[in-house]
Amino acid sequence: MNVHRLLREHDLRPDKALGQNFLVDETVLSRIAASTRPSDSDIILEIGAGTGALTKLLAEGAGRVIALELDEKLLPILRSELQEHDNVTVLQGDILALDPAALVEEARREMGMPRASYKVAGNLPYYITSAIIRHLMEAELRPDLMVVTVQYEVAKRIVAEPGDTSVLTVSVQFYGEPELLFRIKSGSFYPRPNVDSAVVRIDVDPAPPLPEEETDLFFRVVRAGFSQRRKQLHNAISAGLGEVLSKDEAADRLDRVGIDHRRRAQTLSVEEWISLTRAVRDVLES
Ligand code: SAM
């Protein structure tokens, strides 16, 4: 049913503070659902299910959908809109406070699946997009695939190439391969956001490129590098790591692993950040 009417019937208005811009374009919704490469053995965790417009389409292709929504006021709508879909579990909660493994485990048991694996879909609330992506990527149980609608500018940052990267780029590309699938005009949403959006699909690698104990160090080094993105890397690394390395030592270690110390953080590839982490690991662990 039409989102305006549904909200009006329940005497509700979109809550801007919760990033409520509902997708009302059926063609776009169908394209998003199809981009999850649906299969009846899938468990899909939908983040921010809203009034259930995307949830219904996901439920048609997936084995099970966990529809998570923070706003209690939307729950009655969500429940009644999805009542005919017995493969959907509606849950109220804040994704940032929940462990995806716990959510998925119950669905896995119900489906009698031997292994817990899941996909994520969602038209993400814009005010916490990066936090949600990081939360899922850094979780013990990572999704196999994510199809998320984000602001177009954020989508471009996620898929950026060396030369133009940010902490978000590295966080996503460390764990998987993102692809910008298509743009969505602001007129496809109610209410219209001020900016365009885009759908990004992330194929998550089964195993990250570093073991868990080195991953924390990796992100410390990345954050240090980007803490002063206009500065040359040896300066940023030295300052960002609290001067456990002098600028000269940082320059020396960078050059030793074949990274010119005069470069800027945004020019490094994930592989180069890994080399750099290994090159400074001893001082961070001591
Ligand atoms: N899926 C719907 C659609 O496409 O029309 C709604 C998308 S809307 C952009 C984002 C939804 O996320 C809102 O319904 C909002 O209430 C919900 N939300 C906001 N913060 C959340 C959080 N921390 N955890 C779960 N859901 C959240």
Side-chain angles (χ1 to χ4, degrees):
M1 201 208 280
N2 175 306
V3 173
H4 315 63
R5 244 181 50 213
L6 269 176
L7 292 176
R8 209 172 338 111
E9 275 176 20
H10 286 76
D11 209 14
L12 292 176
R13 279 160 194 273
D15 187 337
K16 272 199 186 152
L18 291 179
Q20 290 179 357
N21 296 99
F22 300 101
L23 259 171
V24 291
D25 183 326
E26 283 295 329
T27 312
V28 171
L29 285 161
S30 300
R31 280 182 80 184
I32 295 174
S35 304
T36 63
R37 308 190 187 111
S39 127
D40 57 12
S41 60
D42 282 345
I43 297 173
I44 300 191
L45 171 60
E46 188 195 357
I47 296 169
T51 62
L54 178 62
T55 323
K56 285 182 194 166
L57 299 174
L58 295 171
E60 282 169 16
R64 185 116 223 130
V65 179
I66 304 162
L68 180 69
E69 172 54 53
L70 177 63
D71 187 355
E72 281 176 9
K73 296 194 286 303
L74 292 177
L75 271 271
I77 299 186
L78 204 45
R79 292 217 168 88
S80 81
E81 284 296 292
L82 297 167
Q83 61 187 342
E84 278 155 30
H85 296 271
D86 55 11
N87 61 341
V88 177
T89 308
V90 175
L91 288 180
Q92 190 273 329
D94 173 357
I95 181 62
L96 297 180
L98 290 167
D99 175 7
L103 300 175
V104 170
E105 180 55 24
E106 200 178 311
R108 181 197 69 77
R109 256 188 279 118
E110 277 171 24
M111 290 169 76
M113 293 196 350
R115 186 179 87 84
S117 67
Y118 72 109
K119 296 177 178 175
V120 163
N123 169 16
L124 298 184
Y126 292 158
Y127 70 111
I128 43 170
T129 304
S130 308
I132 292 177
I133 294 175
R134 279 208 316 273
H135 178 65
L136 296 167
M137 292 297 198
E138 290 166 19
E140 212 170 292
L141 182 67
R142 273 183 288 281
D144 297 334
L145 184 89
M146 288 176 64
V147 175
V148 287
T149 304
V150 299
Q151 291 186 352
Y152 180 58
E153 289 308 315
V154 174
K156 281 202 305 194
R157 273 172 47 213
I158 290 174
V159 301
E161 305 268 349
D164 205 15
T165 63
S166 61
V167 176
L168 179 63
T169 319
V170 180
S171 320
V172 172
Q173 296 185 9
F174 177 78
Y175 289 109
E177 282 157 45
E179 186 187 352
L180 196 159
L181 297 182
F182 55 93
R183 259 176 104 146
I184 311 178
K185 294 259 168 255
S186 60
S188 298
F189 296 88
Y190 166 75
R192 263 169 190 258
N194 295 328
V195 293
D196 281 353
S197 302
V199 177
V200 174
R201 178 166 57 208
I202 305 167
D203 276 292
V204 182
D205 297 333
L210 284 178
E212 210 180 310
E213 58 282 7
E214 285 180 58
T215 302
D216 282 352
L217 294 184
F218 174 84
F219 284 109
R220 264 177 77 188
V221 172
V222 171
R223 275 192 295 272
F226 279 103
S227 62
Q228 302 183 323
R229 50 185 298 143
R230 287 203 185 78
K231 291 208 168 155
Q232 294 183 348
L233 205 47
H234 66 296
N235 289 325
I237 290 289
S238 172
L241 292 177
E243 290 172 14
V244 288
L245 279 173
S246 70
K247 289 175 186 167
D248 287 346
E249 281 167 332
D252 186 43
R253 288 181 183 230
L254 278 155
D255 293 337
R256 259 195 277 153
V257 289
I259 302 169
D260 184 335
H261 67 270
R262 292 164 303 179
R263 287 169 62 185
R264 308 284 194 279
Q266 59 271 28
T267 68
L268 265 59
S269 66
V270 170
E271 290 69 30
E272 287 175 317
W273 284 115
I274 291 174
S275 306
L276 176 50
T277 304
R278 295 201 157 128
V280 299
R281 183 168 54 189
D282 58 322
V283 288
L284 293 179
E285 285 171 338
S286 59

